[in-house]
Amino acid sequence: MSRNGRKTVAVIGAGIVGVTTAGFLLRKGHDVTILDPGNPGEGTSFGNAGCFNGSSVVPISMPGTIRNVPTWLTDPMGPLVIRWGYLPTLAPWLVRFIRAGTMDKVQRQAQALRSLLAEGIETLAPLVRDAGAQDLVQRQGHLFVYRSLASWERESLAWRLRRDNGIAWDEFSQDELRQLDPNLSRDYIKGVVVRENGHTTNPHRLVGRLAHAFQRDGGRIERRRAVGFELADGLLTAVRCADGVLPVRAAVVAAGIWSKSLAAELGDRIPLETERGYHLMITDPEVSPRIPTADADAKFVATPMELGLRLAGTVELAGLDAPPRWRRARILLDHARRMFPTLRANYPEERITTWMGHRPSLPDSLPAIGASRRSRDVIYAFGHGHVGMACAARTGRAVAELISGEPTHVDVAPFSPQRFR
Ligand SMILES: Cc1cc2nc3c(=O)[nH]c(=O)nc-3n(C[C@H](O)[C@H](O)[C@H](O)COP(=O)(O)OP(=O)(O)OC[C@H]3O[C@@H](n4cnc5c(N)ncnc54)[C@H](O)[C@@H]3O)c2cc1C
């Protein structure tokens, strides 16, 4: 560190988390290099549903989740798939996942998630403005729709957690839903709009614009793969890359699902697992919702984007290396037709694109934010699971504060990477 507190910092990973973190570090006057073997925003940040939902405080493992699993697994259209050959590898993560779903734990997790999610759009706004990317971020709310009172009641705990964490919403009856979105299936009997939520109309382009602004303002992006770290008495001296070393004083591991092996290099065994998800996009769709619309039972989101209608969802537990099963993406089209009956059953291939990505998930639905075990100079910022877009800004700002030796604007204790010991 120089006398004025300026550090040379490597940020490993150019997804939404890495690029946002790098932007905040640069604003604090550090000398920042992003390392990524690919282009910015081509990992999981590429194809997500784009939602900046401050309301996403509900952990994935909830009391009772395990009871739903058999129904989900036996339904070919269901939202969850486990590849059985992967089960022995997955088992320890699953055990932790189930244990994370007790009432007192989910209450604490929801509170911690809210601290990263609240005012996420406001926190990102200065970076978005400087990047001239305001056109890519909208704040018009998020609609949740229900087919039956039973499914609404099944989510009562989720809505209680939202209410307890200061989230407000408006409820719509069957008739009011019609007026809100006349294209929606008449089978929906209830809708809920959370107005504080927003979305990006193109997550890939958003990350690209933020990365471009970062470079314009003096940051560097190098196409290199980080493979390890060089330490001297617990102090970081360099990041080891596949093609040589980069001398730095601090580093941030923001490589999404690929962070696990980098953390292992520093003696941290973090139970990071991929919750594989899919999207299917329709260009020039016959209908599109005005705001992102989520079906509570089918567990997918239909988001209006600049390149068409994006249908995103599905959790597939099959590890990093198994090839995608594109049928999972096609199922999203069937679900969407039940949401918007005027969509076609089939589209010519040139109007459809599909994608699979890896949600970097920890069993308690909270990311890992904080110092590595072997060196306080290496800060982790990964494991954001289903909510990486929404949490990136506050994560990035907190990490920049940690590296600058300042108090963090969110309490990072619940996100300690050491909580899995
Ligand atoms: C179907 C789906 C829908 C989703 N919808 C939403 C949503 O609506 N809202 C929301 O908030 N979240 C959503 N998510 C989750 C969100 O996409 C992720 O949490 C987020 O993109 C993770 O960002 P990241 O920067 O941590 O990782 P990534 O975007 O995966 O970036 C990691 C980067 O690290 C790079 N990298 C890997 N290894 C190395 C290495 N050794 N050295 C250097 N660089 C390396 C990769 O090339 C990549 O660019 C969704 C996810 C899926 C799959």
Side-chain angles (χ1 to χ4, degrees):
M1 184 155 57
S2 69
R3 256 199 313 258
N4 63 6
R6 188 170 198 253
K7 288 180 182 172
T8 50
V9 188
V11 175
I12 302 170
I16 186 71
V17 177
V19 166
T20 307
T21 304
F24 281 112
L25 281 164
L26 201 63
R27 285 170 165 249
K28 288 197 177 291
H30 299 292
D31 177 355
V32 190
T33 304
I34 297 179
L35 301 173
D36 196 311
N39 292 316
E42 291 188 349
T44 313
S45 302
F46 179 88
N48 53 64
C51 301
F52 290 116
N53 284 358
S55 66
S56 293
V57 298
V58 184
I60 307 303
S61 177
M62 292 273 280
T65 299
I66 194 68
R67 278 200 301 277
N68 294 325
V69 168
T71 321
W72 287 336
L73 289 179
T74 47
D75 177 0
M77 298 271 287
L80 174 68
V81 181
I82 298 179
R83 290 212 203 157
W84 297 113
Y86 189 62
L87 196 56
T89 314
L90 181 67
W93 184 90
L94 265 186
V95 169
R96 284 182 190 266
F97 176 82
I98 294 160
R99 287 198 184 137
T102 63
M103 188 61 83
D104 60 323
K105 286 184 186 161
V106 301
Q107 281 168 344
R108 275 183 273 138
Q109 290 154 7
Q111 219 177 347
L113 279 172
R114 183 62 174 163
S115 73
L116 285 182
L117 289 162
E119 299 185 3
I121 296 179
E122 286 86 343
T123 310
L124 193 62
L127 300 187
V128 169
R129 216 173 22 245
D130 283 1
Q134 296 97 318
D135 57 317
L136 295 176
V137 179
Q138 296 193 6
R139 191 176 209 169
Q140 296 173 323
H142 185 103
L143 172 63
F144 300 81
V145 284
Y146 293 86
R147 287 179 185 275
S148 67
L149 275 184
S151 63
W152 164 246
E153 276 154 17
R154 263 198 301 278
E155 293 218 333
S156 60
L157 174 58
W159 288 102
R160 202 169 84 213
L161 288 173
R162 292 186 179 111
R163 190 193 57 218
D164 291 350
N165 284 285
I167 294 147
W169 63 83
D170 295 320
E171 295 185 18
F172 293 79
S173 68
Q174 194 167 20
D175 289 341
E176 289 165 340
L177 259 186
R178 252 6 106 249
Q179 290 165 31
L180 194 69
D181 188 343
N183 296 312
L184 268 178
S185 160
R186 293 183 178 271
D187 292 343
Y188 291 112
I189 56 109
K190 189 174 183 70
V192 182
V193 173
V194 179
R195 299 202 188 273
E196 72 167 79
N197 292 343
H199 75 285
T200 173
T201 53
N202 191 333
H204 178 220
R205 235 157 54 79
L206 178 63
V207 177
R209 289 253 195 105
L210 295 172
H212 184 261
F214 165 79
Q215 279 181 300
R216 180 202 61 202
D217 295 341
R220 282 182 302 280
I221 300 184
E222 296 184 8
R223 288 193 88 160
R224 304 172 80 177
R225 180 182 302 280
V227 294
F229 305 89
E230 308 229 319
L231 303 179
D233 296 330
L235 298 179
L236 180 70
T237 57
V239 171
R240 227 175 332 109
C241 296
D243 61 353
V245 295
L246 177 72
V248 283
R249 178 66 185 77
V252 180
V253 180
I257 192 64
W258 299 277
S259 304
K260 186 172 180 170
S261 52
L262 290 165
E265 285 286 312
L266 292 165
D268 289 304
R269 286 163 54 90
I270 313 266
L272 189 66
E273 184 54 56
T274 164
E275 285 188 65
R276 297 149 58 110
Y278 290 81
H279 88 210
L280 180 143
M281 278 197 78
I282 310 169
T283 47
D284 293 326
E286 288 67 20
V287 289
S288 192
R290 195 176 51 81
I291 58 175
T293 302
D295 183 304
D297 295 305
K299 303 210 177 301
F300 81 102
V301 188
T303 305
M305 293 211 168
E306 59 176 10
L307 300 176
L309 174 60
R310 178 169 294 177
L311 314 168
T314 297
V315 168
E316 183 184 50
L317 299 171
L320 253 180
D321 301 325
R325 275 201 190 146
W326 294 117
R327 209 174 66 77
R328 298 301 306 165
R330 297 279 160 176
I331 286 171
L332 293 167
L333 181 56
D334 297 332
H335 285 310
R337 286 191 62 237
R338 294 185 69 219
M339 181 182 265
F340 299 110
T342 41
L343 285 175
R344 288 161 52 165
N346 282 303
Y347 286 89
E349 284 307 308
E350 63 271 17
R351 283 183 63 195
I352 296 274
T353 53
T354 51
W355 169 87
M356 191 271 287
H358 298 281
R359 297 181 191 89
S361 296
L362 289 161
D364 57 3
S365 302
L366 302 179
I369 304 173
S372 73
R373 185 205 290 249
R374 294 220 180 113
S375 172
R376 301 205 62 75
D377 297 334
V378 183
I379 305 291
Y380 297 151
F382 60 80
H384 292 77
H386 292 240
V387 290
M389 296 299 290
C391 288
R394 294 200 114 191
T395 298
R397 195 174 140 198
V399 169
E401 288 159 348
L402 283 173
I403 287 185
S404 307
E406 298 167 8
T408 51
H409 74 295
V410 291
D411 175 13
V412 292
F415 312 112
S416 167
Q418 314 305 334
R419 69 187 185 276
F420 300 105
R421 280 178 184 186

